[in-house]
Amino acid sequence: MVPHLVPRWPVCLFQWRAACTLGACVPQSAWAGASRTPGPGSPRGAVGTSPLVRRGGSSSSSRAPEVMLTRERYPVQRLPFSVVSEEDLAAFERITPGRVVTDPEELEASNVDWLRTVRGCSKVLLKPRTTEEVSHILRYCHERNLAVNPQGGNTGMVGGSVPVFDEIILSTALMNQVISFHGVSGILVCQAGCILEELSRYVEERDFIMPLDLGAKGSCHIGGNVATNAGGLRFLRYGSLHGTVLGLEVVLADGTVLNCLTSLRKDNTGYDLKQLFIGSEGTLGVITAVSILCPPKPRAVNVAFLGCPGFAEVLQTFSTCKGMLGEILSAFEFMDAECMQLVGHHLGLISPVQESPFYVLIETSGSRAGHDAEKLSSFLEHVLDFGLVTDGTLATDQRRVKMLWALRERITEALSRDGCVYKYDISLPVERLYDLVSDLRARLGPKAKHVVGYGHLGDGNLHLNVTAEAFSASLLGALEPYVYEWTAGQRGSVSAEHGLGFKKKDVLSYSKPPAALQLMQQLKALLDPKGILNPYKTLPARA
Amino acid sequence: MVPHLVPRWPVCLFQWRAACTLGACVPQSAWAGASRTPGPGSPRGAVGTSPLVRRGGSSSSSRAPEVMLTRERYPVQRLPFSVVSEEDLAAFERITPGRVVTDPEELEASNVDWLRTVRGCSKVLLKPRTTEEVSHILRYCHERNLAVNPQGGNTGMVGGSVPVFDEIILSTALMNQVISFHGVSGILVCQAGCILEELSRYVEERDFIMPLDLGAKGSCHIGGNVATNAGGLRFLRYGSLHGTVLGLEVVLADGTVLNCLTSLRKDNTGYDLKQLFIGSEGTLGVITAVSILCPPKPRAVNVAFLGCPGFAEVLQTFSTCKGMLGEILSAFEFMDAECMQLVGHHLGLISPVQESPFYVLIETSGSRAGHDAEKLSSFLEHVLDFGLVTDGTLATDQRRVKMLWALRERITEALSRDGCVYKYDISLPVERLYDLVSDLRARLGPKAKHVVGYGHLGDGNLHLNVTAEAFSASLLGALEPYVYEWTAGQRGSVSAEHGLGFKKKDVLSYSKPPAALQLMQQLKALLDPKGILNPYKTLPARA
C-alpha cells in the first residue's frame, strides 16, 4: 500500500494516452464473450472456478459439474405446500396452453442460479403472456396451496430467483411487450419480462436512456430489476428505483390484480403501494408491468481512469469531482491494486495508468461535449496539482469508454478465475468504506489468497471479495459473522444492492432492528397469508 | 387566446431586458410579506378572501372571522375514542413536563388550518422534544384509546394537519435539532420538527441544498414534508422524496419505535419500510427523524421568463429545453394569460414580457456559470427562431431570479384576492394538461369569474383554480365530480402533490382502483388497529 508516485504530467497528455495506450493493453478478443464467470457452488457466499457462461440463461452447460441441491446443502425444511399433481398440470395447460414446461432438461436452467450455487427441483415452469394469465395461475395456486417462484432473467446474486424445493416456476420470459412510450416525458410502460438491454435499445432510439444499467442487462428482466430494487452503474446519477419507477401492476398471492400502473410523475392519492413491491424479491406479489421514467440520452459521455496514492485521496477526489463536475457526474467507481493485479493476471488486461494503490473510474454524461470536456480538464488539472491523482487516462469515444469500463466490470470474472470466492456486498459511510478491507486483510493473513475491495464509491457501496484455493470452513468462520458485525458496527447494510434472496436472509438482523423485522413479517402475512410466494426467501424463517 | 406575436428580437437583448425591465415592473414593496393569502373557508376546495397572514403559525388573527367547526360544516361523525380526562392531562404532564398546552387561545392556531377552511376543537397540544417522549405519548394514547393528530408546520392544503374533533395535537415544533451532516455525501439527519428553510440555510452554509423547496418553507417541518410526500419546486430536478429520503425513524401507533434512520444510499435488506410512511399523512405512524440526501449547491442559477403563443408551443419548448438544457434544467413552470392578469390586477405585478396566451418560467442550476449561460443562449435562440417563444427575459442575479419566480409563486395570493377560490391539484399526461382548463372554461361560462391553469408543467402537475364572487353550490356542482371524472378519464391523479388529508379523502377512488383502496385499508388496520392516528384523514370512512 505504499503510494506509487510518478512525475505529474500535463492534462493534454490524456488524449494522447487514450489514443495509444489502451488500444494496445487490452486485446480485443478479451472484451468479447460473457460478462461474468459463474462457477460451482460452495456454501453461502463462496463461488468456485468454471468455464465462461453467459449470465443467466445457458448456465446448464452439460460439461459443468452438477450443482448440489439446495435442500441437501443447506439446513432448510420444506414447508407443507401441496405437491403438483397431474390435475394441476392439466389446469395449467388450460390457463397457459402450450406454455407449461415439464421437460427436465429445459427446467434445469431455471432450477439452478447463474452462479451455480443453489439448485431447486421444480417439476414445472409456466410461461404466461398476460397479466390475466398470471392472475389465473396465482388464484389457482393459492386455492391449491402450491408454492410459486417468480423468475425473471435468473441473474440474481443471492439465490432469490430459483426454487429451493419444488416450487412452480412462474417465468416472465414471454411477458416482453412495450405497452407505451411517451416521447415528451420519457415515460416507458412495459411488461415485466422485457429484457433491460432491449428496453435500453428501444428508448435510446427515441433519444432517452433507461435510468438503470447493470452488467447483467443482456439477460435480466425489468420486472426482476424492480423486484430486487437493482442498483447498478447509473444509481449515482439517476437514483433508486423507488424514485424512478412511477407505477407498477402487481398480481397478489390470491390472484388479485393491483393496477397502480400510472404514468404520472406525481400522485399523492393515498399510500404509495407500489413501493411495497420494489425490492421485496417476489415475496409480496408478482410484478407484471412497470412504468418507469427515462432520462434524456446524454449527447456526450466521457470516462476518466485515474490512479490515486491512497484511499484518503480517493475520497478527496470524490468530493472535488462532485463540486467541479457537478451535474454531469454519472459514475464514480473505485478498485484497489489487488483488483488490477487480478484482471491483469487472469484476463490479460493491462492497467492503462501507472501502478497505484487505488484506481478510480469517473464517468460524465452531459448534453454538450465541449462543456463537459472543459469541466473534466479543469477537474483533472486540479486533482493532479493537489496530488490527489498521480496518473490517468481519458476516453471519449464509445469503444474506449467500454474498454475502461471493462477494467472495473470484469473484476468479478477475474475473481472467479482466482479460486473459491467469498462475496460480500456492503454499504458503509464512505470514509470507512475501505477500512473493512484493510481490517479483513490483516485478520485473515495467509488464510486468504486475495482480499479485494472495489465498487460504487459514489453510492457508498463496497464489493468485498475474498479468494482462496478451495472452500475452507475455517476461512468462512474467520469471515462470518466478522464482516456482518463490522458492518453493523458502522450502521452499514449487509446487502447494499444484491438483496437477501435465499442465501442472505438470515443476516437481515445485522442491518434492521427487531421492530422492523416484525413489521416485515406482518406485511408478508398480510399480503401472502399462505406464504406461497417465493418461500424461503428474503425473511428469516419464523421461530 | 389569439397568439400575440411580436417581432423577434435577438438573444443579446435578454441581458438588457433583465437589467432594466424587471426592476421597474415589480414594486419592491410588493415582494415583501406573506407568500399566501388564506381566507375564510367554504366547503371543499373553496377558499375566500381575507387579510394576509403568514402561512402557518399566526393564522389566528383576532380580526379574522371565525372559522366554522369542521364537525358542523361537514357530514362527519366522531369515532368512539376516549375523551381526554384530568388524569390523562396529569399523565401527559409527567411525560412532557411544562409542554402540555391547554390554553384555548394558544390552541386556536393549531386547531385551524392556514387556509382557514377547517377547524377542530382539540383541548390539548403536546410538545415532545425526543423520540422517547413521542413513544411514551403514543403508548399511553393507544392504551387509553385516545385519538392523536400529528402536526408539523400546519401548512397543508387539504385539512390533514388539524384535528377534526378533539384529537390530541402532537406537535413536532420542539423536535428541531440537526442530528448529523456528512460533508462528503451530503446526507443530513435531523429531527422531524426542523423547519425546511432553516435546514436549507444549514446545508447551504456547507455547500449543499435541500432536495426540496416549497412556498411554505418558512413554516413547514421536514417531518410534515415527508409525511405528505411534498413535491414543490425542485421536484423536476431532484425527484420525489421516495428517492431522496434515505431513512426514517417512526413511532408506531402503539408506541413502538421503528428505527430505520440509516444514512446509506443503498440498502436492500428486506422490505423498504420507510416508504410506507412517506406520503401517509401521519395515519400510519409519527415520523420523528429523517435522513435525507442533499445535492451539491449549484454555483449558477438562471431564470428565463418566456411568452408562448399557444399550449402546443409550451410543450415544444419543454421538449426542446429538456434536450438542450439537459442536466442543468431545474424547473419548468407555466401559467396562462389569466394568471398574469390576476397577479397584475391584485398585486400590481407587471409582466416582464409582451402579453402572451401562455408564460413559461425556466430555471437552470449548474456548476459553471459560463457553460450554463451558453446553453441557455443556444436554447433561447432556437425557441425564438422556431416561433415557440415570442418574447422573453432572463435573470441571473439572485434578486431578479426571485422577482421572476414571484410572478409564478404569487398566483395563489392573487387568486385568493379575487374572491372565493375552488382549488384543484391535478396530475395529467402533459399533452392533455391544459385541455381540462379549456374544457372547464367552456363548461362554466359566466358562472365563474376566472378559470386559470398554472403549475409544474415539467412534472405534469396542473394547479387548476376557479374563482367566483362568492361560494355557490351550483358552481360547485358544475365543478365536481366533473373535474375528478375528467381526470380519471385520463388516468390522472386527483391529488398530485397536496395529498388527501380530510378534504379530499373521498375522491381517492377516482385515481386508485378498489383493490388498491382495500390494501390501503388493510395496511391502516395492520399498523394502527385502533385507528387513533390522524383519524378521518387520507382514507374514506369504511362502509
Side-chain angles (χ1 to χ4, degrees):
Chain A
M1 284 307 149
V2 180
H4 178 95
L5 293 163
V6 297
R8 288 179 199 165
W9 37 266
V11 171
C12 60
L13 280 185
F14 275 110
Q15 287 300 339
W16 173 81
R17 294 179 63 90
C20 69
T21 324
L22 258 181
C25 79
V26 189
Q28 195 57 39
S29 62
W31 304 95
S35 60
R36 307 268 181 176
T37 312
S42 311
R44 279 180 266 188
V47 184
T49 319
S50 90
L52 269 174
V53 297
R54 184 162 173 270
R55 183 165 174 181
S58 59
S59 57
S60 63
S61 157
S62 57
R63 285 170 302 172
E66 182 120 309
V67 179
M68 206 172 174
L69 282 168
T70 304
R71 67 177 185 213
E72 290 171 4
R73 172 172 294 145
Y74 293 86
V76 56
Q77 290 285 318
R78 187 180 183 282
L79 292 169
F81 298 113
S82 303
V83 173
V84 176
S85 67
E86 286 302 318
E87 290 75 37
D88 295 330
L89 291 179
F92 294 142
E93 187 59 36
R94 284 192 294 277
I95 300 171
T96 51
R99 287 169 282 131
V100 178
V101 178
T102 53
D103 173 58
E105 205 161 323
E106 209 179 325
L107 278 168
E108 177 72 2
S110 296
N111 264 318
V112 179
D113 72 323
W114 78 271
L115 286 167
R116 302 184 64 72
T117 57
V118 284
R119 182 164 159 236
C121 49
S122 178
K123 300 282 186 289
V124 58
L125 177 146
L126 306 175
K127 291 185 176 176
R129 280 206 187 99
T130 66
T131 302
E132 291 64 38
E133 289 179 351
V134 175
S135 170
H136 288 167
I137 292 167
L138 288 188
R139 195 183 314 138
Y140 183 88
C141 291
H142 191 255
E143 278 166 16
R144 278 275 297 127
N145 196 35
L146 287 163
V148 177
N149 178 97
Q151 189 175 81
N154 190 11
T155 61
M157 309 286 274
V158 286
S161 57
V162 294
V164 175
F165 293 95
D166 57 344
E167 299 92 277
I168 293 159
I169 302 171
L170 178 60
S171 167
T172 50
L174 298 184
M175 302 184 72
N176 55 5
Q177 301 298 305
V178 168
I179 297 167
S180 65
F181 183 73
H182 194 283
V184 176
S185 62
I187 296 171
L188 171 76
V189 183
C190 64
Q191 284 190 297
C194 291
I195 289 173
L196 180 58
E197 194 167 49
E198 289 174 11
L199 291 177
S200 285
R201 205 174 298 125
Y202 179 91
V203 300
E204 282 187 31
E205 283 166 8
R206 288 151 181 84
D207 237 16
F208 286 82
I209 59 168
M210 292 299 288
L212 75 162
D213 187 24
L214 309 175
K217 63 180 159 228
S219 309
C220 65
H221 295 188
I222 187 72
N225 297 149
V226 174
T228 56
N229 190 29
L233 308 170
R234 290 180 184 158
F235 189 97
L236 178 69
R237 174 71 164 268
Y238 302 111
S240 146
L241 290 172
H242 286 286
T244 52
V245 170
L246 302 180
L248 288 182
E249 182 189 62
V250 179
V251 180
L252 303 182
D254 65 358
T256 301
V257 178
L258 186 70
N259 186 340
C260 295
L261 198 59
T262 49
S263 301
L264 306 166
R265 285 208 67 178
K266 284 178 172 178
D267 177 21
N268 274 355
T269 53
Y271 310 148
D272 192 355
L273 298 177
K274 69 171 182 285
Q275 301 291 350
L276 268 174
F277 304 95
I278 301 175
S280 66
E281 305 186 301
T283 62
L284 298 180
V286 177
I287 295 170
T288 48
V290 174
S291 167
I292 192 164
L293 183 68
C294 299
K297 186 177 172 180
R299 297 193 186 157
V301 175
N302 297 300
V303 168
F305 196 90
L306 313 170
C308 289
F311 194 71
E313 286 79 5
V314 170
L315 289 180
Q316 284 177 66
T317 302
F318 178 51
S319 283
T320 308
C321 132
K322 276 178 76 167
M324 295 185 74
L325 299 180
E327 62 280 0
I328 62 166
L329 178 63
S330 56
F332 192 101
E333 302 283 313
F334 90 106
M335 56 196 273
D336 62 16
E338 287 196 48
C339 287
M340 187 61 88
Q341 287 160 19
L342 287 169
V343 295
H345 182 70
H346 293 292
L347 306 175
L349 307 187
I350 299 161
S351 170
V353 300
Q354 298 277 351
E355 197 183 323
S356 305
F358 290 93
Y359 302 91
V360 158
L361 183 152
I362 294 170
E363 187 192 74
T364 64
S365 308
S367 58
R368 198 138 149 182
H371 289 169
D372 295 4
E374 273 184 48
K375 286 190 182 89
L376 251 177
S377 288
S378 312
F379 160 73
L380 292 170
E381 204 161 348
H382 180 95
V383 290
L384 283 165
D385 281 353
F386 282 79
L388 305 179
V389 162
T390 47
D391 193 9
T393 184
L394 188 66
T396 52
D397 73 82
Q398 217 185 340
R399 194 179 63 91
R400 288 202 203 94
V401 161
K402 278 190 178 170
M403 285 177 171
L404 289 182
W405 261 115
L407 287 163
R408 158 66 186 84
E409 285 193 286
R410 293 185 75 196
I411 297 170
T412 315
E413 190 183 333
L415 281 163
S416 62
R417 293 198 184 192
D418 199 52
C420 179
V421 190
Y422 302 80
K423 302 179 88 70
Y424 302 94
D425 167 40
I426 306 287
S427 267
L428 287 169
V430 279
E431 70 276 10
R432 296 301 312 272
L433 199 74
Y434 202 72
D435 292 348
L436 175 55
V437 185
S438 308
D439 284 7
L440 203 59
R441 203 172 273 146
R443 175 183 169 85
L444 298 180
K447 269 187 190 159
K449 199 171 160 190
H450 286 288
V451 179
V452 307
Y454 64 98
H456 317 289
L457 185 122
D459 312 323
N461 185 181
L462 169 72
H463 292 313
L464 166 67
N465 284 247
V466 176
T467 64
E469 288 303 344
F471 172 72
S472 139
S474 107
L475 178 55
L476 187 64
L479 282 166
E480 298 177 16
Y482 180 81
V483 168
Y484 299 127
E485 284 172 354
W486 200 103
T487 304
Q490 299 297 323
R491 297 211 62 184
S493 170
V494 294
S495 186
E497 60 175 7
H498 293 168
L500 299 171
F502 173 73
K503 292 194 278 181
K504 290 207 173 171
K505 65 183 189 301
D506 294 320
V507 299
L508 169 55
S509 59
Y510 286 101
S511 293
K512 291 289 158 65
L517 199 51
Q518 191 189 342
L519 183 50
M520 289 182 204
Q521 298 278 17
Q522 289 173 316
L523 289 169
K524 172 71 178 173
L526 173 67
L527 279 146
D528 180 17
K530 292 186 175 179
I532 63 166
L533 286 180
N534 222 8
Y536 325 104
K537 315 279 173 68
T538 310
L539 303 183
R542 301 187 85 155
Chain B
M1 287 305 154
V2 180
H4 178 93
L5 293 163
V6 298
R8 289 178 196 164
W9 38 267
V11 171
C12 59
L13 280 185
F14 275 110
Q15 287 300 339
W16 172 82
R17 293 180 63 91
C20 68
T21 325
L22 257 182
C25 78
V26 190
Q28 196 57 38
S29 62
W31 303 94
S35 60
R36 307 271 180 173
T37 312
S42 312
R44 281 181 262 186
V47 184
T49 318
S50 89
L52 269 174
V53 296
R54 185 163 173 270
R55 183 164 174 183
S58 59
S59 57
S60 61
S61 157
S62 57
R63 285 170 300 173
E66 183 120 310
V67 179
M68 206 174 175
L69 282 168
T70 304
R71 66 175 186 216
E72 290 171 4
R73 173 172 295 146
Y74 293 87
V76 56
Q77 290 286 318
R78 187 180 183 282
L79 292 168
F81 299 112
S82 303
V83 173
V84 177
S85 66
E86 286 303 319
E87 289 75 36
D88 295 331
L89 292 178
F92 293 142
E93 187 59 36
R94 284 191 295 275
I95 301 171
T96 51
R99 287 168 283 130
V100 178
V101 177
T102 53
D103 173 58
E105 204 161 324
E106 208 179 325
L107 278 168
E108 177 72 0
S110 297
N111 264 319
V112 179
D113 73 323
W114 78 271
L115 286 168
R116 302 184 63 72
T117 56
V118 284
R119 181 162 161 240
C121 50
S122 178
K123 301 281 185 290
V124 58
L125 178 147
L126 306 175
K127 291 185 176 175
R129 280 204 187 100
T130 66
T131 302
E132 291 64 38
E133 288 178 353
V134 174
S135 170
H136 288 167
I137 291 166
L138 288 187
R139 195 183 315 139
Y140 183 87
C141 291
H142 190 254
E143 278 165 17
R144 276 277 295 126
N145 196 34
L146 287 163
V148 177
N149 177 97
Q151 189 175 81
N154 191 10
T155 61
M157 309 287 273
V158 287
S161 58
V162 294
V164 175
F165 293 95
D166 58 344
E167 299 92 277
I168 293 159
I169 302 170
L170 179 60
S171 167
T172 50
L174 298 184
M175 302 184 72
N176 56 3
Q177 301 299 303
V178 169
I179 297 168
S180 65
F181 182 74
H182 193 283
V184 175
S185 62
I187 296 170
L188 171 75
V189 183
C190 64
Q191 284 190 297
C194 291
I195 289 173
L196 180 59
E197 193 166 49
E198 289 174 12
L199 291 178
S200 284
R201 204 174 299 125
Y202 180 91
V203 300
E204 282 186 29
E205 283 166 7
R206 288 153 181 84
D207 236 13
F208 286 82
I209 59 169
M210 292 298 287
L212 74 162
D213 187 25
L214 308 175
K217 62 180 160 230
S219 310
C220 65
H221 295 188
I222 187 72
N225 296 148
V226 175
T228 56
N229 190 29
L233 308 171
R234 290 179 184 159
F235 189 97
L236 178 68
R237 174 73 164 267
Y238 302 110
S240 146
L241 290 172
H242 286 286
T244 52
V245 170
L246 301 180
L248 288 182
E249 182 189 62
V250 179
V251 180
L252 303 182
D254 65 358
T256 302
V257 178
L258 185 69
N259 185 340
C260 295
L261 198 61
T262 49
S263 301
L264 306 167
R265 284 209 68 178
K266 284 178 172 176
D267 178 20
N268 274 355
T269 53
Y271 309 149
D272 193 354
L273 297 177
K274 69 171 182 286
Q275 302 291 350
L276 269 174
F277 303 96
I278 300 174
S280 65
E281 306 188 300
T283 62
L284 298 180
V286 177
I287 295 169
T288 48
V290 174
S291 166
I292 192 165
L293 183 68
C294 299
K297 186 177 172 180
R299 298 195 184 154
V301 174
N302 297 299
V303 168
F305 196 90
L306 313 170
C308 289
F311 193 71
E313 286 80 4
V314 171
L315 288 180
Q316 284 177 67
T317 302
F318 178 52
S319 284
T320 308
C321 131
K322 275 179 77 167
M324 296 185 74
L325 299 179
E327 61 280 0
I328 62 167
L329 178 64
S330 56
F332 191 101
E333 303 282 314
F334 91 105
M335 56 196 276
D336 63 16
E338 287 196 47
C339 287
M340 187 62 88
Q341 288 159 19
L342 287 169
V343 295
H345 182 71
H346 293 291
L347 307 175
L349 308 187
I350 298 161
S351 171
V353 299
Q354 299 277 350
E355 197 183 323
S356 306
F358 291 94
Y359 303 91
V360 158
L361 183 151
I362 294 170
E363 187 192 74
T364 65
S365 307
S367 57
R368 198 138 150 184
H371 290 169
D372 295 4
E374 273 184 48
K375 286 190 182 87
L376 251 176
S377 290
S378 311
F379 160 72
L380 293 170
E381 202 162 349
H382 181 95
V383 290
L384 283 165
D385 280 353
F386 282 79
L388 305 180
V389 161
T390 46
D391 194 9
T393 185
L394 188 67
T396 51
D397 74 83
Q398 217 185 340
R399 193 179 64 91
R400 288 200 203 96
V401 161
K402 277 190 179 171
M403 284 176 172
L404 288 182
W405 262 114
L407 287 162
R408 159 66 186 84
E409 285 192 287
R410 294 186 74 194
I411 296 170
T412 315
E413 189 182 334
L415 281 163
S416 61
R417 294 198 185 191
D418 199 51
C420 179
V421 191
Y422 302 80
K423 301 179 89 70
Y424 302 94
D425 167 39
I426 305 287
S427 266
L428 287 169
V430 280
E431 70 276 9
R432 297 300 313 271
L433 199 75
Y434 202 72
D435 292 347
L436 175 55
V437 184
S438 308
D439 284 7
L440 203 59
R441 201 171 274 145
R443 176 183 169 85
L444 298 179
K447 271 187 189 157
K449 197 170 163 193
H450 287 287
V451 178
V452 306
Y454 64 99
H456 317 289
L457 185 122
D459 312 323
N461 185 181
L462 169 72
H463 293 312
L464 166 67
N465 284 247
V466 177
T467 64
E469 289 301 347
F471 173 72
S472 137
S474 108
L475 178 54
L476 187 63
L479 282 166
E480 299 178 15
Y482 180 81
V483 169
Y484 299 128
E485 285 171 354
W486 200 103
T487 304
Q490 299 298 321
R491 297 210 64 183
S493 170
V494 294
S495 185
E497 60 177 6
H498 293 168
L500 298 172
F502 173 73
K503 291 194 278 180
K504 290 208 174 173
K505 65 182 191 300
D506 293 320
V507 299
L508 169 54
S509 60
Y510 285 101
S511 293
K512 292 287 157 67
L517 199 51
Q518 190 189 342
L519 183 50
M520 290 182 202
Q521 298 278 18
Q522 289 173 316
L523 289 170
K524 172 71 178 173
L526 173 67
L527 279 146
D528 180 18
K530 292 186 175 181
I532 62 166
L533 287 179
N534 223 7
Y536 324 105
K537 315 279 173 67
T538 310
L539 302 182
R542 301 187 83 157

